[in-house]
Amino acid sequence: MSLTVRQFYEAGRSSLALEMVQGEEHLDRAVPEPAINRPGLALAGFLRYFAHRRIQVLGLAEVTYLKGLEDSERAARVAAFFGAGVPCVVFARGIRPLREFCESARRYRVPILRTHLITGRFVQLAAVMIEELTAPRMRYQGTMVDIMGIGVIIEGPPGVGKSETALGLIARGHSLVADDLVELRRSSWGEIVGTAPDVTRFHMEIRGLGIIHVPSLYGVTSVRREKRLDLIVRLERALTSEEEERTGLEVASRDVLGVPIPFIQIPVVAGRDISLVVEAAALDFRLKQLGHDAVKELDQRIMERLGREGVGSRD
Amino acid sequence: MPRDQVAERDVVVQNQYGIHARPAALLVKTAARFQSNITLEKDGVEVSAKSIMGVLTMEGYHGSRIRIRARGPDANEAVEALSDLFEKKFYET
């Protein structure tokens, strides 16, 4: 995903203590490579492998080095640095930008930012923030809960009882991540992470009641800000006998932002407590993750038994 | 109302591993398509053909004889469909 300097600046104002030094009118510049670079070598004159498409961060080392140069040399280095086409420059440790930077930045229409954080810390935090800003995202229709560490999205047609099922799970001590609409993103290590849209976070709609604030009713442990997605459970009013899984030997999966997520369908029939079924599904998934596949083991045992009986004559 | 059909047939488990989980699931899913009441009987023990646990408990090893019984509006068809699975070794070897 693309990133503009404005997005970086807005997101980093509180978390990275970013301040505007100059060039606010150039904030809509794109950051072609959403990453951080410390341009020490480029400022020392080695421009061959200069990662100029990234956000450039200068700390004490770079600035002290530049200050030690002859005026004309310094001006040339800084001009070459901007000439390469950098999208944005950040001074860490609250350092005041050198005069040459301010002048060149104006000429090349590059915004200059500043932070009081020390350079190493800033680079770390900025990398994480950029990762979040640029992660592939999507909105998913469904209700997400955390069932003992397993992130489950409950989906299904309107009115099938997604929120009621989630409420049943919350009442049994599990926690709500998002009701009805989940914001998903893919982390750099390939996990899908779900969270609620800011406005509706921790609220849910229960038909006949209206909107409730979950932590007010069920306590702080009844909600979670975000959770890795492990399983999608689809509630269906009626399944054909072909769709209904009877053993659990075959687990289907669904593609979410390029990552396959295990997917099961549960028929909703009157008199069935769906919360209990979804809870069991999550626990069974957990068991499989621990390398314990109950169905496969049962099948193994049955096959061994059938083999023994087949050989010996019974009567 | 049409009269209920009654049908039954004896079959032999022909696949090498017998009725383990996969064939059992196939049996149960096929049986569930019919309205008729369908049972499987082996060694005098009768189980519902629509219950996976029941079918697994039956222990249908290779070579064992099983009687399929159906009663209902589509009993003949049901027995035909289930016998066919036994005949085709549940698509196994």
Side-chain angles (χ1 to χ4, degrees), chain A residues 210-229:
Chain A
I211 292 173
I212 60 169
H213 184 242
V214 174
S216 301
L217 298 182
Y218 296 94
V220 280
T221 56
S222 65
V223 287
R224 265 198 80 148
R225 228 186 146 71
E226 57 174 47
K227 180 74 194 85
R228 181 190 66 223
L229 173 63

Side-chain angles (χ1 to χ4, degrees), chain A residues 43-59:
Chain A
L43 292 169
F46 181 73
L47 289 158
R48 211 155 97 205
Y49 294 109
F50 176 28
H52 64 275
R53 293 148 62 84
R54 302 181 184 175
I55 290 169
Q56 307 294 320
V57 180
L58 280 81

Side-chain angles (χ1 to χ4, degrees), chain A:
Chain A
M1 229 180 92
S2 64
L3 179 73
T4 64
V5 179
R6 185 183 298 282
Q7 285 173 309
F8 176 74
Y9 171 61
E10 298 286 346
R13 275 166 85 158
S14 60
S15 58
L16 302 177
L18 281 177
E19 301 165 47
M20 194 73 217
V21 177
Q22 64 169 60
E24 197 163 356
E25 63 277 25
H26 308 312
L27 272 181
D28 286 313
R29 280 189 77 124
V31 181
E33 237 176 85
I36 297 288
N37 184 50
R38 287 196 70 176
L41 280 173
L43 292 169
F46 181 73
L47 289 158
R48 211 155 97 205
Y49 294 109
F50 176 28
H52 64 275
R53 293 148 62 84
R54 302 181 184 175
I55 290 169
Q56 307 294 320
V57 180
L58 280 81
L60 206 53
E62 290 85 354
V63 173
T64 311
Y65 168 78
L66 286 170
K67 277 185 179 159
L69 296 177
E70 295 278 331
D71 284 359
S72 61
E73 186 62 31
R74 180 165 60 238
R77 297 280 175 84
V78 172
F81 169 77
F82 278 98
V86 300
C88 169
V89 178
V90 181
F91 284 86
R93 281 180 174 264
I95 296 168
R96 251 186 56 205
L98 303 172
R99 191 173 42 81
E100 290 86 346
F101 272 86
C102 296
E103 286 164 7
S104 273
R106 251 191 294 280
R107 190 158 59 246
Y108 287 99
R109 300 166 198 276
V110 174
I112 295 187
L113 307 174
R114 187 160 70 167
T115 173
H116 66 72
L117 295 178
I118 61 164
T119 323
R121 183 87 184 119
F122 174 80
V123 170
Q124 262 178 8
L125 293 174
V128 173
M129 196 188 80
I130 289 174
E131 151 80 41
E132 291 227 333
L133 285 173
T134 58
R137 284 165 192 280
M138 71 180 288
R139 292 194 145 193
Y140 201 99
Q141 191 82 46
T143 294
M144 186 167 182
V145 282
D146 171 2
I147 303 176
M148 291 185 234
I150 308 292
V152 182
I153 283 185
I154 304 165
E155 61 160 51
V160 77
K162 299 182 286 286
S163 300
E164 288 73 10
T165 301
L167 193 62
L169 288 162
I170 291 162
R172 294 175 60 77
H174 307 300
S175 24
L176 176 77
V177 181
D179 182 39
D180 208 34
L181 196 62
V182 190
E183 287 190 343
L184 296 175
R185 66 167 192 277
R186 190 181 73 213
S187 71
S188 57
W189 51 95
E191 280 184 343
I192 302 296
V193 180
T195 183
D198 283 329
V199 202
T200 57
R201 175 166 292 136
F202 305 156
H203 288 80
M204 64 195 302
E205 190 217 335
I206 301 294
R207 281 168 196 239
L209 289 187
I211 292 173
I212 60 169
H213 184 242
V214 174
S216 301
L217 298 182
Y218 296 94
V220 280
T221 56
S222 65
V223 287
R224 265 198 80 148
R225 228 186 146 71
E226 57 174 47
K227 180 74 194 85
R228 181 190 66 223
L229 173 63
D230 297 298
L231 180 66
I232 298 174
V233 174
R234 182 169 180 84
L235 306 184
E236 276 295 354
R237 285 212 185 75
L239 289 174
T240 67
S241 69
E242 283 308 305
E243 285 169 323
E244 216 164 291
E245 183 57 44
R246 297 297 296 258
T247 56
L249 272 178
E250 280 146 59
V251 178
S253 77
R254 178 165 282 197
D255 181 285
V256 177
L257 294 169
V259 179
I261 303 290
F263 172 77
I264 56 178
Q265 299 193 81
I266 296 178
V268 176
V269 185
R272 236 184 147 200
D273 187 339
I274 301 302
S275 312
L276 291 179
V277 182
V278 175
E279 185 182 49
L283 294 179
D284 189 54
F285 173 82
R286 178 72 179 269
L287 196 64
K288 276 186 186 146
Q289 263 189 332
L290 295 172
H292 197 70
D293 192 325
V295 196
K296 281 206 180 114
E297 283 164 29
L298 174 67
D299 199 26
Q300 207 65 46
R301 222 172 56 227
I302 290 169
M303 281 167 83
E304 274 167 30
R305 254 181 106 95
L306 294 176
R308 265 206 311 275
E309 288 182 60
V311 177
S313 61
R314 285 248 290 198
D315 30 23

